[in-house]
Amino acid sequence: MPIANFSRTRFRSAASRLAPDFCTRLTAIARRTGCALALIAAALFSQVAAASSPPAVVSISPTTGPAAGGTTVVIAGGSFNTATAVHFGATSATSFTIDSNEQITAVAPAGTGTVDVTVTNPSGTSSTSPVDQYTYVASAPTVTSISPTTGPTSGGTTVIITGTGLTAATAVTFGATPATSFTVNSSTQITATSPAGTGTVDITVTTAAGTSATSAADRFTFAAATATQTALTSSQNPSSFGQSVTFTANVTASAGTPTGTVTFSDNGSPIRTVMLAAGTASFSSSTLKIGSHTITASYAGSGAFNASTSPALAQSVNVPADSVKLRALQIDITKLVAQNSGQAISGAIDNAISEGFSEGGSFMTPGGAGMRFNFAADPSDGAAQADTGNRGAYASDRSSGPRGGGNSRIDNAFAAIDRQLPTKAAPKTQTTINRDPRDWLFWIDVRGSGIDRWSSPTSPGVGTTGSSVYGNQLNALMGLTYRAMPNLLVGAVAGYETFNYTAQDINGKLTGDGWTAGSYLGWMITPTLRYDAAVTFSQIGYNGVAGTAQGSFNGDRWMFATGLTGNYKMSNLLIEPSARLYTLWEHENAYVDTLGTLQTARDFVTGRASGGVKLSYPLATTDAAVVSPYLGVYGDYYFSRDDAAALAVNGIPVNPTLVLEGWSARVTGGLNARLAGGMMLGLGAEYGGLGGTARIWTFSARARVPFN
């Protein structure tokens, strides 16, 4: 049929029924044969197919590309004029351009494995076949930079290699020589150690996908290294625990500025690695422990610079100043607490033994710093005293019977005083009293002591020859005495103490309390000479504060007391000479204060030896009142020994108190008044430390009200 008679409509209808690839094949035939008729037919078929058929892909080029994508792929086929998408597997092409109805140029996205390349237009998507398959292959690694770029010919330089595709590296070479070792840090970084070598070489990285290409960015030069010197300094030496200290290392060379890292070590153990900046590396620490530290700085070397290590720096870390003050508070104030307890306990036991041999004693007796209550002083049942208002005369006739008649039961407690007064004829209404000896004696003794600023500092600040110390202490004791024989008695004692002292110059305060238990004995060697001894144990809890430092610790204390006491009478004057000794041993446990300082365990010994005489003289002022003044003078020697080390802050000794030490003297005095009806009032005082550095006042007062 002639071409002219070929109806255009009929041709389009026929072309629409042909497969899209027929147009492509017809076009190819027409181009090879040059047949005009075939070219016209192909063009017509192409126009018709483009308007109404899905696209077809007959080839792609290239068929492979890196997994990272970015490859330009030329797609041949048909029905591309109206293409709306190009896919590599399920992933859209990064971009595409329609060159003609038969060609598209696309950029491959990232991917893996083998995928089909498809083209989509409004009529559909191209079918898949082996001719459209694209395969992703792993990319060869790249090296974009190295640091450092030079190193000694002997090797050993740590080189940081930066690039891409480095994850599965199997080899790193410096020229033709493998690296001594290498570590893959990430897909973009490798740390390698250079081998020995000479000249300038390329550093390459090999993976399964290939070996990195060489460039100026990967070149490493082996060169003779320059010697370096490393110097180390400390910002504070010695320092205090918890104080921030900065260590600085300076690395120098005869030419150039070294780069790389410096490692700081403490007693050989690395504590920090720091990069050099302009030849300097530094770091700060506030966690160094108390004691001596050997600090060094080691430069690792880099490129053209050899490694070097600084001379050792001896860094001393001292105890914080407030921890030193807390220790000073502990050392001195605990001795003061022990001394006051020793005086109170030994004094109470001395009085208990004296009362035990006096067959009852007085109901109330003032001590050096307190009041004693003797519950055995009341007469036994059926024993009473007749009193018409005048002082009675007492006899020891045990055959006398009980007395009657509404008299004070307490008056018998003062029989000893009455016996010492000048006698006169008793009124006809007065009778003698029958006093029975007592085998058991229960007593309570309460003593308070107070100290107010022993001395003043000689200069401001820490470290003085004396300091301002004040506070108070209470010792409460009770005991039971048993008179086993006329000249021998034994007893048990228990007690409680509490205290609160302040050392103003060091902003310190020590508080606490504790308990005591022990036993004692008394022996009348002769009617006028008595020996006594006592042993007690105390457990004390301390709480100390000095500035910002706080700590709690316990103390175990033993006390031994002994003495000889005489009792002589010259006319109406009573003379009581005595020689006494008490010694205390205390152990205090170790503890860590709130500033983290270990306060070590401690032991000390302290005590007092004393000798003196007490005089008393009863006076009968009227028949209704008796006054008995007394006066005592004693010489004391205080001693102590401590295993604690001397303390100082910034070279200045810390001594918060003047501890009782050496020779001194005491004076005691008082007045007892017995009024009509048996009422008694007593006042006493003691002034200690005469001739010494410590001045201690103590006061006491007593009152007695008789009852039936």
Side-chain angles (χ1 to χ4, degrees):
M1 182 175 59
I3 189 66
N5 295 329
F6 193 86
S7 169
R8 184 180 182 88
T9 301
R10 293 175 62 191
F11 181 81
R12 181 181 295 112
S13 175
S16 65
R17 293 193 299 270
L18 297 176
D21 60 326
F22 177 79
C23 298
T24 302
R25 296 178 184 274
L26 184 60
T27 301
I29 294 172
R31 287 175 177 170
R32 288 198 301 270
T33 61
C35 175
L37 178 60
L39 289 172
I40 294 172
L44 291 174
F45 272 103
S46 296
Q47 292 176 6
V48 173
S52 58
S53 301
V57 176
V58 297
S59 67
I60 61 173
S61 179
T63 58
T64 61
T71 302
T72 299
V73 180
V74 176
I75 306 169
S79 298
F80 291 167
N81 279 342
T82 57
T84 58
V86 176
H87 289 82
F88 285 68
T91 306
S92 298
T94 302
S95 65
F96 69 92
T97 301
I98 301 174
D99 302 324
S100 68
N101 192 49
E102 294 83 22
Q103 180 176 303
I104 290 177
T105 300
V107 178
T112 58
T114 298
V115 298
D116 291 292
V117 178
T118 57
V119 179
T120 301
N121 70 11
S123 297
T125 299
S126 62
S127 59
T128 61
S129 68
V131 299
D132 65 19
Q133 289 181 345
Y134 180 85
T135 301
Y136 287 99
V137 296
S139 302
T142 63
V143 176
T144 57
S145 66
I146 61 172
S147 178
T149 59
T150 60
T153 56
S154 59
T157 302
T158 299
V159 181
I160 304 299
I161 303 170
T162 303
T164 61
L166 307 179
T167 301
T170 58
V172 175
T173 59
F174 285 68
T177 306
T180 302
S181 64
F182 70 89
T183 301
V184 177
N185 304 322
S186 67
S187 63
T188 60
Q189 188 180 88
I190 290 177
T191 299
T193 302
S194 68
T198 58
T200 299
V201 297
D202 290 294
I203 297 178
T204 58
V205 178
T206 300
T207 66
T211 300
S212 61
T214 60
S215 67
D218 63 23
R219 287 174 186 161
F220 182 84
T221 300
F222 290 97
T226 302
T228 62
Q229 298 80 39
T230 301
L232 178 63
T233 59
S234 169
S235 63
Q236 184 72 29
N237 193 11
S239 60
S240 296
F241 178 77
Q243 181 181 13
S244 180
V245 181
T246 300
F247 297 99
T248 301
N250 291 300
V251 183
T252 58
S254 58
T257 301
T259 59
T261 61
V262 172
T263 299
F264 296 88
S265 299
D266 181 3
N267 296 326
S269 299
I271 52 177
R272 188 72 61 86
T273 297
V274 182
M275 291 293 296
L276 280 172
T280 300
S282 63
F283 88 99
S284 298
S285 175
S286 59
T287 59
L288 293 178
K289 295 182 179 179
I290 296 171
S292 180
H293 300 260
T294 301
I295 309 296
T296 57
S298 299
Y299 170 55
S302 178
F305 298 97
N306 284 332
S308 60
T309 300
S310 71
L313 171 68
Q315 176 72 35
S316 296
V317 181
N318 296 332
V319 176
D322 283 349
S323 290
V324 176
K325 295 175 182 179
L326 178 62
R327 183 65 166 180
L329 181 79
Q330 175 187 355
I331 290 173
D332 287 336
I333 301 299
T334 54
K335 289 180 184 175
L336 173 62
V337 174
Q339 278 282 3
N340 284 342
S341 293
Q343 296 180 34
I345 297 171
S346 64
I349 292 175
D350 176 45
N351 287 344
I353 293 173
S354 176
E355 291 171 353
F357 282 124
S358 66
E359 297 185 354
S362 300
F363 179 72
M364 287 192 302
T365 306
M371 188 69 64
R372 166 185 298 278
F373 296 90
N374 178 6
F375 296 102
D378 285 341
S380 59
D381 292 341
Q385 173 186 347
D387 191 345
T388 60
N390 298 324
R391 179 181 58 84
Y394 297 91
S396 58
D397 182 5
R398 299 185 183 274
S399 63
S400 300
R403 311 294 300 179
N407 301 349
S408 170
R409 294 168 28 183
I410 304 300
D411 286 345
N412 283 340
F414 289 86
I417 295 177
D418 290 335
R419 284 196 296 269
Q420 296 159 13
L421 296 179
T423 59
K424 63 180 180 179
K428 293 180 180 180
T429 59
Q430 183 170 337
T431 59
T432 59
I433 288 183
N434 179 18
R435 291 177 55 93
D436 295 329
R438 300 300 181 93
D439 291 335
W440 295 94
L441 179 114
F442 175 70
W443 54 269
I444 292 177
D445 192 293
V446 179
R447 302 188 179 221
S449 61
I451 299 175
D452 188 8
R453 293 172 172 78
W454 287 358
S455 58
S456 299
T458 58
S459 60
V462 178
T464 61
T465 58
S467 61
S468 184
V469 176
Y470 55 93
N472 53 74
Q473 183 168 343
L474 177 70
N475 288 79
L477 299 115
M478 65 180 179
L480 185 65
T481 303
Y482 174 66
R483 188 166 180 173
M485 299 173 60
N487 65 339
L488 179 67
L489 58 80
V490 294
V493 60
Y496 170 79
E497 65 184 79
T498 182
F499 48 86
N500 187 328
Y501 290 100
T502 298
Q504 187 173 0
D505 291 339
I506 61 172
N507 194 23
K509 181 182 287 292
L510 186 71
T511 61
D513 56 13
W515 56 266
T516 296
S519 60
Y520 56 88
L521 66 86
W523 175 34
M524 292 297 298
I525 303 174
T526 69
T528 59
L529 181 62
R530 186 191 83 217
Y531 170 77
D532 56 75
V535 176
T536 63
F537 174 77
S538 303
Q539 190 169 76
I540 313 299
Y542 296 97
N543 297 289
V545 178
T548 58
Q550 301 180 33
S552 299
F553 56 96
N554 294 324
D556 296 329
R557 180 195 307 150
W558 287 94
M559 186 198 78
F560 173 73
T562 186
L564 291 169
T565 304
N567 189 344
Y568 304 96
K569 184 175 181 181
M570 183 180 296
S571 184
N572 288 330
L573 179 66
L574 296 180
I575 305 173
E576 295 184 7
S578 63
R580 308 199 61 80
L581 168 71
Y582 66 78
T583 304
L584 304 108
W585 295 265
E586 183 163 327
H587 170 78
E588 295 165 359
N589 66 293
Y591 64 99
V592 177
D593 66 27
T594 54
L595 299 184
T597 301
L598 173 63
Q599 305 283 9
T600 58
R602 167 184 174 235
D603 295 277
F604 71 84
V605 177
T606 187
R608 184 184 75 184
S610 62
V613 62
K614 176 182 177 182
L615 306 175
S616 61
Y617 192 88
L619 301 175
T621 57
T622 66
D623 288 341
V626 177
V627 176
S628 180
Y630 66 90
L631 176 67
V633 178
Y634 301 91
D636 299 324
Y637 179 77
Y638 291 91
F639 56 89
S640 65
R641 187 186 67 202
D642 202 320
D643 65 0
L647 302 176
V649 173
N650 298 325
I652 302 175
V654 179
N655 184 29
T657 70
L658 292 176
V659 179
L660 292 173
E661 193 80 30
W663 289 101
S664 62
R666 279 180 298 132
V667 176
T668 63
L671 187 68
N672 295 327
R674 179 171 173 271
L675 308 179
M679 177 178 289
M680 179 178 176
L681 299 176
L683 296 174
E686 179 178 287
Y687 184 54
L690 297 174
T693 56
R695 300 290 186 271
I696 306 174
W697 277 99
T698 56
F699 298 92
S700 62
R702 67 167 182 165
R704 186 191 74 171
V705 178
F707 59 91
N708 294 326

